[in-house]
Amino acid sequence: MSQADAPLKRSHAAGGWGALRSCGKHLLKSGSAITGAITLLKANQSDGFDCPGCAWGDPEHGSSFEFCENGVKAVSWEATARRATPAFFAEHTVSALRGWTDYDLENVGRLTEPMRYDPATDRYVAVSWDEAFTGIAAELNALDSPNEAEFYTSGRASNEAAYLYQLFARAYGTNNFPDCSNMCHEASGVGLTQAIGVGKGTVTLEDFHHADAIIVIGQNPGTNHPRMLGDLRKASMRGARVAVLNPIRERGLERFADPQDKIEMIRGGSTSIATHYLQPKLGGDMAAIRGVAKIVFARDDAARAAGRPSLLDEAFIAEHTVGLDAWRAEVEATSWGAIEDQSGLTYDQIATLADVYLGGERVIVTWAMGVTQHKHSVATVREIANLLFLRGHVGREGAGLCPVRGHSNVQGDRTVGINENAPEWFLAAIEREFGFAVPRQPGHNVLHAIGAMVEGRSKAFIGLGGNFLRATPDTAVVEQALRSCRLTVQIATKPNLGHMAVGKVAYLLPCMGRTEIDRNSAKKAQIVTVEDSMSMVHGSGGINKPASPHLKSEVGVICGIAAATVGSGHVDWAAMAEDYDLIRDSIARTIPGFEDYNVRVRQPRGFRLRNAASEREWLTRSGKAEFSATPLPAEIEHQSARRRPGQFVLQTVRSHDQYNTTIYGLDDRYRGVYGERRVIFMNPDDIAAMGSKPNARVDVVGDAADGRSRRAEDFRLVAYDIPRGCIAGYYPELNAVVPFTKAGDLSDTPLSKSVLVSLAPRAGKAA
């Protein structure tokens, strides 16, 4: 029996010995196992570095050995002994490297020297830093308008680097800031700003220790933020109910064995996480939450009629909210037939979720991109907020709204100014601090930037980390857009496929990683800072020797480009690069909440930025928390697909051996997939209905209504526990069928969790 024909070998539980074996494997694979192991001892510690993985909150720094499997992978990936030297690029043309996989290319190792693309030889060749900075400045200054340049930011950038990056771009004259936030939690920011006046979650990590009901919607912490499982496990062990809404059965939400619990590990045991696991159809979360509200209102009416107290927090509603009557009317006008059909859940299943909600005195709702990458995502976030308002679950201990961000500083980047449409108060503060006129015209987000490059309106692209090509939708379109640019600049630690989409002039600039010691000319070690999902700002200082003596920090690279491009008349870029305290001083003077930044960030746990909504101060237009009376969508994708024979709605997901576009390995042991990535998870009945069998090979064909052909080739069908009509598979491989021309209402987020596709058999192909 071939591996493909064998039954899925899913892990019994997330974590456990499987996680420890995986940690050891990745440390050994790095070629620097001892260095990696020593480095891990300083992860998330007050005298160490903030983990470059996810943005889950940290307990008090130094209180424990805080790590997770993803953190081990991220650290060993960065601390690898492998090097991508100029000699490597001399051996391989860029055209040839475009044919490599994501995994193989990044596995070459750390970049060591700045390089420029030589079109005559189709190779990257080494240049000096001064040559790179001067060449980039010449190209930027030759553009007809600053708005022809795009300044992309990855969530791995520190607060200091991101602040200087936006300062440089605005001094240059543009607000074009396509950012990874645009592709993930933009809907959370928009929806929460409308509802509570703050585009961030209201909870702290400690709130999870007091909640007695936690509703987890559209997220997979076992793969995406494993340390969250430790907090869910503790909640479950003390009797809190954990209700999950997720179309796919995810092992980490079912059971978890904590690798740091010696007794559990010795006994080979695990702890149940979800007390209730519901599988709505893709995009059905808003309808499910509406159903819960419909039941709450009905039970409240019954309680009042029987002379019992109201189930609602009437005092909170009266003092702190507006708009309840309009929303209630909308809820009561929504039929159960519409709710059940759109959610994919039965009345009894939704009633079970209502029991969890009503049974909790302190309720947290937490979500991720399963909520935010749909057309109606902002409305779904508003519906979640509506539900919590009903019983006053915002602004008190053990309760609240919790969007869980992805990369470790994606939230911090937005806080310090990476925003294509920044508020006037921020732009005015920059003008006061630095004395130059700041542009007011809103800039480009990710989808706008792609469109501008496709149409030739944008001619330069600078990427601060990340892998824009592989993170964005419509891979073939984006590759061609980048290659048509006059200038591309990539600032990175390792080579990736995005670096092979070169403009007419292209530079590849290596930077330090977060685990590496960053010293200034006086040999003083610098620290940077990041903000997690709970608005905690932490200091981070590397402990390892840099991978190459030629590396510069992200701050150093930005300052070098900026000084060469806009000069130092308003900003002393050299001084900023020499002393990061100066950057933090400017942040403190321009952004509320960062007062005494340099003092507070050096405290053991850093500090929390004030969240007005968590104190029941509502920075909305009405001055109160605002209910939203948005109708359910008339039809969502799984309903549309049902009317079109042969169509399915696809969601793209991560495997367990990846983080964002970084592929650490080819296994996904929680889902039982090993040694491959081109798979489609599909309900067994759907496989049979299309006249196929598990392990058959198919092509995934996307929408071509805009005249663009979209096809991802050669995927294996894997029978899986997922609702009928819904399928799933890994990005970035399936980004090729996600249209950049379709976006979330009000958020402009790609619809990566609701992609209409069909499956075409591959003739003559067997697993």
Side-chain angles (χ1 to χ4, degrees):
M1 179 183 293
S2 71
Q3 177 175 300
D5 293 327
L8 292 180
K9 296 180 180 179
R10 298 178 67 205
S11 299
H12 167 70
W17 290 109
L20 291 181
R21 283 192 293 270
S22 175
C23 291
K25 180 183 75 173
H26 283 278
L27 285 170
L28 289 171
K29 189 170 68 174
S30 73
S32 187
I34 295 176
T35 298
I38 294 172
T39 304
L40 284 170
L41 296 174
K42 293 295 185 181
N44 298 320
Q45 301 298 306
S46 59
D47 59 344
F49 62 93
D50 197 85
C51 177
C54 75
W56 186 246
D58 299 331
E60 184 174 350
H61 278 249
S63 64
S64 63
F65 176 37
E66 268 293 305
F67 84 102
C68 71
E69 183 180 352
N70 268 11
V72 172
K73 292 173 183 176
V75 167
S76 60
W77 179 91
E78 184 174 289
T80 178
R82 297 186 178 92
R83 299 290 182 265
T85 64
F88 167 79
F89 289 98
E91 294 174 5
H92 303 280
T93 65
V94 167
S95 297
L97 292 174
R98 287 192 195 109
W100 289 37
T101 66
D102 300 279
Y103 172 71
D104 287 336
L105 191 52
E106 295 199 28
N107 204 41
V108 172
R110 294 288 302 277
L111 295 164
T112 61
E113 296 183 43
M115 287 176 288
R116 176 181 54 80
Y117 176 65
D118 177 13
T121 62
D122 190 26
R123 286 172 168 82
Y124 274 113
V125 296
V127 294
S128 71
W129 281 107
D130 285 344
E131 287 174 313
F133 294 153
T134 301
I136 293 166
E139 294 296 328
L140 289 175
N141 287 326
L143 297 178
D144 292 335
S145 164
N147 290 323
E148 292 182 343
E150 304 290 348
F151 292 82
Y152 175 71
T153 320
S154 161
R156 60 147 284 155
S158 66
N159 286 335
E160 292 74 15
Y163 184 79
L164 289 183
Y165 198 56
Q166 64 81 29
L167 186 63
F168 162 42
R170 290 188 164 110
Y172 175 66
T174 187
N175 287 313
N176 286 350
F177 292 112
D179 175 55
C180 59
S181 290
N182 303 146
M183 294 182 281
C184 53
H185 267 288
E186 198 71 61
S188 297
V190 173
L192 292 177
T193 298
Q194 293 175 347
I196 61 174
V198 179
K200 303 179 183 183
T202 63
V203 303
T204 65
L205 190 62
E206 285 73 18
D207 284 320
F208 278 82
H209 304 160
H210 299 286
D212 49 22
I214 302 170
I215 301 174
V216 182
I217 309 178
Q219 65 184 123
N220 177 23
T223 288
N224 300 328
H225 23 267
R227 285 185 297 130
M228 181 180 179
L229 291 182
D231 294 294
L232 292 178
R233 173 180 177 270
K234 292 173 185 175
S236 178
M237 291 177 70
R238 59 179 173 75
R241 289 195 284 183
V242 178
V244 170
L245 275 77
N246 197 316
I248 304 179
R249 298 291 294 196
E250 299 287 16
R251 182 61 79 213
L253 289 167
E254 295 174 312
R255 302 196 67 83
F256 177 58
D258 189 347
Q260 299 185 72
D261 185 322
K262 299 180 180 65
I263 301 301
E264 191 166 72
M265 293 295 289
I266 291 172
R267 293 177 176 174
S270 61
T271 301
S272 177
I273 299 296
T275 54
H276 306 81
Y277 203 121
L278 308 180
Q279 293 177 265
K281 293 200 173 185
L282 285 167
D285 301 309
M286 181 180 179
I289 297 299
R290 174 138 314 170
V292 172
K294 196 171 179 73
I295 291 171
V296 171
F297 285 133
R299 292 184 184 177
D300 180 60
D301 286 343
R304 291 169 184 267
R308 297 192 299 273
S310 172
L311 299 179
L312 311 184
D313 189 334
E314 294 179 309
F316 175 85
I317 292 170
E319 181 180 354
H320 292 287
T321 73
V322 294
L324 171 61
D325 291 344
W327 178 55
R328 180 165 187 164
E330 189 63 48
V331 170
E332 292 177 345
T334 308
S335 71
W336 272 109
I339 289 171
E340 289 182 301
D341 189 61
Q342 194 160 111
S343 69
L345 301 175
T346 65
Y347 173 88
D348 288 342
Q349 289 174 311
I350 296 172
T352 298
L353 184 60
D355 291 339
V356 173
Y357 172 75
L358 287 169
E361 290 299 319
R362 301 178 182 87
V363 180
I364 290 173
V365 178
T366 175
W367 68 92
M369 286 183 284
V371 165
T372 63
Q373 289 185 325
H374 299 276
K375 184 171 177 57
H376 59 289
S377 291
V378 171
T380 303
V381 171
R382 295 296 303 272
E383 197 79 4
I384 291 169
N386 286 349
L387 185 65
L388 289 193
F389 294 160
L390 281 183
R391 287 169 56 81
H393 289 304
V394 179
R396 59 190 178 90
E397 184 181 62
L401 297 150
C402 183
V404 180
R405 311 285 173 161
H407 222 143
S408 63
N409 199 42
V410 64
Q411 183 162 300
D413 287 356
R414 180 59 55 87
T415 298
V416 300
I418 299 295
N419 187 341
E420 76 280 0
N421 193 16
E424 173 59 28
W425 66 260
F426 176 77
L427 300 179
I430 293 295
E431 287 185 333
R432 288 193 303 270
E433 176 74 5
F434 297 101
F436 63 83
V438 174
R440 292 319 200 262
Q441 178 184 349
H444 294 156
N445 60 27
V446 164
L447 296 187
H448 294 158
I450 294 172
M453 288 188 290
V454 167
E455 295 169 8
R457 292 182 286 111
S458 287
K459 299 178 174 65
F461 175 90
I462 301 180
L464 179 59
N467 186 344
F468 185 82
L469 170 64
R470 302 295 281 166
T472 51
D474 257 332
T475 308
V477 173
V478 175
E479 179 176 1
Q480 186 56 46
L482 288 168
R483 293 176 66 181
S484 68
C485 282
R486 175 171 173 170
L487 170 70
T488 56
V489 180
Q490 304 283 359
I491 303 167
T493 55
K494 283 187 170 184
N496 62 50
L497 280 171
H499 305 156
M500 306 309 141
V502 293
K504 293 177 177 60
V505 176
Y507 290 89
L508 180 53
L509 307 180
C511 65
M512 295 177 188
R514 197 174 292 171
T515 63
E516 292 172 323
I517 302 171
D518 177 6
R519 298 188 188 276
N520 61 14
S521 63
K523 305 302 182 183
K524 174 187 174 183
Q526 309 264 22
I527 66 166
V528 295
T529 61
V530 299
E531 178 187 348
D532 65 29
S533 290
M534 279 73 173
S535 300
M536 292 295 299
V537 179
H538 309 294
S540 178
I543 66 168
N544 290 338
K545 182 181 177 181
S548 164
H550 302 292
L551 298 186
K552 287 185 178 289
S553 67
E554 288 179 321
V555 167
V557 175
I558 294 164
C559 288
I561 298 173
T565 305
V566 300
S568 300
H570 293 285
V571 181
D572 190 340
W573 302 104
M576 294 281 196
E578 185 70 10
D579 186 356
Y580 298 175
D581 281 1
L582 298 179
I583 308 171
R584 287 185 284 270
D585 285 341
S586 286
I587 293 174
R589 289 191 291 266
T590 52
I591 305 176
F594 284 92
E595 296 80 9
D596 298 322
Y597 195 174
N598 277 308
V599 174
R600 291 193 292 156
V601 81
R602 288 178 167 88
Q603 297 169 354
R605 200 184 177 191
F607 62 95
R608 186 175 190 238
L609 292 170
R610 180 174 183 262
N611 185 304
S614 68
E615 300 172 16
R616 295 189 170 178
E617 177 185 346
W618 317 103
L619 305 179
T620 60
R621 288 174 295 181
S622 65
K624 294 190 175 185
E626 297 188 1
F627 283 94
S628 169
T630 304
L632 288 185
E635 182 178 73
I636 61 176
E637 282 77 8
H638 79 79
Q639 295 171 305
S640 175
R642 197 170 56 209
R643 293 187 293 100
R644 305 176 185 181
Q647 283 216 321
F648 300 90
V649 57
L650 163 74
Q651 68 165 333
T652 63
V653 298
R654 293 170 176 161
S655 81
H656 191 61
D657 260 2
Q658 78 177 95
Y659 199 79
N660 294 339
T661 58
T662 298
I663 311 301
Y664 298 124
L666 301 179
D667 294 343
D668 190 356
R669 70 175 189 279
Y670 291 168
R671 298 189 184 110
V673 174
Y674 297 90
E676 60 179 329
R677 291 185 52 81
R678 303 186 80 83
V679 297
I680 293 293
F681 299 100
M682 192 173 190
N683 186 288
D685 292 337
D686 280 339
I687 295 176
M690 62 183 286
S692 190
K693 294 182 179 180
N695 303 315
R697 312 297 300 198
V698 298
D699 290 350
V700 184
V701 183
D703 180 60
D706 61 357
R708 294 182 173 91
S709 175
R710 296 178 173 90
R711 194 179 191 98
E713 296 184 338
D714 198 14
F715 287 75
R716 178 171 71 92
L717 294 181
V718 174
Y720 211 77
D721 191 349
I722 186 172
R724 292 204 64 179
C726 303
I727 61 176
Y730 304 132
Y731 74 85
E733 289 84 355
L734 283 165
N735 285 353
V737 298
V738 182
F740 87 90
T741 52
K742 296 184 177 182
D745 295 337
L746 303 179
S747 69
D748 268 347
T749 300
L751 309 185
S752 299
K753 296 293 188 289
S754 53
V755 188
L756 284 173
V757 299
S758 58
L759 302 178
R762 286 185 67 79
K765 280 281 189 178

